[in-house]
Amino acid sequence: MHVLVAGGAGYIGSVLVPVLLERGHRVTVIDRMYFGDTLAQARARFGEKLRIVRADVRGFDQSLLKSIDAVVDLSGISNDPSCELEPKLTRSVNIDGAKRLAVAAREQGVRRYVFSSSCSVYGHGEGLGLTETSARRPVSLYARAKAEVEDFLLELGQSSRGEMEVTCLRLATVFGLSPRMRFDLAINVMTKNAYVQRRIMVDGGGRQWRPFVHVRDAARAFELGLTSEAPKVAGEVFNVGSAMANVQILNLAFRVRDAIPGTEVVHAPTDPDLRDYNVSFDKVEGALPFRAEKSVDDGIHEVLGALRDGVVDPEERRYYTMRQYVFLREAERAHRELSVEGQILSDATRVGAEAARDR
């Protein structure tokens, strides 16, 4: 197939795109590339089979969809703090942009559409083993946006009368190594803090449940969403993760501590975390040949090994979503205030050189 991956240079996308290319698909990526060129190796390896377009889902050239068989939408501002930084921008990208992409895909005759949702839509869940039919109680803008787009996409797919097959994957909290590394996800950041500071801070009491899934397992789930027979995935919502990876946050901290001796676990004086959800993954395991292969402990040791070997730099700004967005916002503001005819230093250098020549 020819697959368009929106947000394909992100944390999951930069793992998924090479997987799709290895399976023989052609891939077009739409991404703003806010976090750098994370697909350089894939581009060097696969050449013309990979096309990267620096664009925004809110305003890309819709002719890009003319030759597309399937879309994976991984786009959007990720994590709760980053979404709350600019709520208006978040709604514009995560809701309006996602809907625009889906409508354009339908108009261009795209057959298969897979959306990256989140188990965070369950918010403050009631009971253990929440299923895809359990009540959604999102408590953050990020989660509310996911829930709204889910509803929109499923209705769009239903109204297409089989012409567009929509699948929503509600991912558990993702962990593990990626070319676009993230140290603002629970397992990754706890491991990093234990390694660098020998200290883990537990927020919200630590009794809250979270499900987890490795980034490569998540990528396999998206590939299955693209390639499985339509009756198995069309119009369906799947939780993606593993029952064994439902973990309470305090227990997670202890597991990281055990992997890095000498680490102190400290409780932060914060309010209880409203997000608390323990999730069932029976549906995806029953309908698709999906089983999570990587455990929570695998992820801890994987990230720890990369830190010890110097594969990832724990101080790299782009590995922290919120920090990078703040940097980009300040850079945009400085450019707006200081630039003359779109230039800052380069134009000033030219003017200075001309003045010196005139003297």
Side-chain angles (χ1 to χ4, degrees):
M1 292 189 294
H2 187 179
V3 183
L4 183 141
V5 183
Y11 181 63
I12 298 172
S14 57
V15 173
L16 171 63
V17 167
V19 169
L20 295 177
L21 291 164
E22 288 168 359
R23 300 293 191 273
H25 305 294
R26 287 185 297 143
V27 179
T28 293
V29 168
I30 295 177
D31 201 292
R32 287 298 303 270
M33 312 295 283
Y34 282 149
F35 299 90
D37 186 2
T38 59
L39 294 171
Q41 290 186 355
R43 187 170 56 247
R45 179 181 175 189
F46 293 98
E48 294 182 355
K49 290 184 178 180
L50 172 61
R51 181 187 183 191
I52 300 174
V53 179
R54 190 187 294 266
D56 193 306
V57 289
R58 296 171 296 172
F60 69 95
D61 182 353
Q62 296 186 15
S63 66
L64 288 171
L65 290 161
K66 285 185 177 179
S67 64
I68 298 298
D69 301 303
V71 169
V72 175
D73 184 10
L74 300 168
S75 64
I77 296 173
S78 59
N79 87 16
D80 293 349
S82 298
C83 287
E84 300 296 344
L85 180 68
E86 297 278 0
K88 184 177 180 180
L89 174 63
T90 296
R91 287 188 286 269
S92 175
V93 175
N94 291 23
I95 298 176
D96 299 340
K99 291 179 179 180
R100 180 179 184 272
L101 175 63
V103 170
R106 178 180 172 181
E107 291 175 350
Q108 294 295 336
V110 172
R111 185 75 176 182
R112 185 65 59 89
Y113 200 97
V114 185
F115 175 63
S116 179
S117 188
S118 169
C119 285
S120 64
V121 298
Y122 297 116
H124 191 74
E126 291 188 0
L128 304 180
L130 299 171
T131 71
E132 289 78 359
T133 59
S134 296
R136 295 176 303 179
R137 295 184 173 88
V139 297
S140 67
L141 175 57
Y142 173 78
R144 290 193 298 272
K146 290 294 188 185
E148 180 174 338
V149 175
E150 275 188 8
D151 292 342
F152 178 85
L153 292 176
L154 293 170
E155 174 60 31
L156 187 67
Q158 186 176 20
S159 66
S160 75
R161 295 180 174 84
E163 293 181 3
M164 189 164 84
E165 300 153 356
V166 172
T167 306
C168 297
L169 301 184
R170 290 179 184 162
L171 301 183
T173 300
V174 190
F175 64 89
L177 295 178
S178 164
R180 187 304 216 206
M181 190 55 188
R182 284 183 62 181
F183 281 125
D184 52 9
L185 296 165
I187 292 176
N188 295 353
V189 70
M190 281 191 182
T191 305
K192 186 270 297 184
N193 287 344
Y195 176 75
V196 174
Q197 305 169 1
R198 291 298 191 271
R199 195 167 190 257
I200 301 173
M201 188 73 72
V202 174
D203 293 312
R207 301 297 179 184
Q208 64 273 29
W209 287 94
R210 289 287 190 285
F212 294 95
V213 66
H214 192 277
V215 64
R216 293 197 174 277
D217 287 326
R220 287 195 302 108
F222 280 104
E223 186 200 9
L224 289 171
L226 289 170
T227 59
S228 296
E229 297 173 354
K232 294 182 178 181
V233 296
E236 298 292 343
V237 176
F238 295 101
N239 297 330
V240 176
S242 166
M244 294 298 293
N246 277 305
V247 180
Q248 289 176 294
I249 293 299
L250 184 58
N251 176 268
L252 174 61
F254 290 152
R255 290 165 77 165
V256 175
R257 180 198 62 185
D258 292 344
I260 307 175
T263 297
E264 178 187 16
V265 175
V266 179
H267 287 267
T270 54
D271 294 330
D273 193 340
L274 294 177
R275 299 166 300 164
D276 182 9
Y277 42 95
N278 177 298
V279 180
S280 168
F281 303 97
D282 290 347
K283 181 179 177 180
V284 71
E285 292 176 353
L288 305 177
F290 177 83
R291 293 291 187 281
E293 297 177 352
K294 297 286 188 178
S295 69
V296 167
D297 294 315
D298 289 335
I300 293 169
H301 289 288
E302 178 184 79
V303 174
L304 176 60
L307 288 164
R308 284 175 171 165
D309 295 341
V311 175
V312 292
D313 178 3
E315 300 304 320
E316 170 58 54
R317 183 189 65 244
R318 289 176 297 179
Y319 294 167
Y320 301 83
T321 305
M322 178 75 162
R323 193 181 302 177
Q324 179 69 353
Y325 280 140
V326 170
F327 167 79
L328 293 172
R329 184 177 67 172
E330 295 306 314
E332 183 177 51
R333 181 178 299 157
H335 186 271
R336 185 170 58 247
E337 293 174 353
L338 300 175
S339 65
V340 176
E341 296 181 354
Q343 302 291 327
I344 300 179
L345 293 176
S346 58
D347 188 64
T349 301
R350 179 181 62 79
V351 172
E354 292 175 351
R357 186 181 65 247
D358 292 342
R359 289 198 299 269

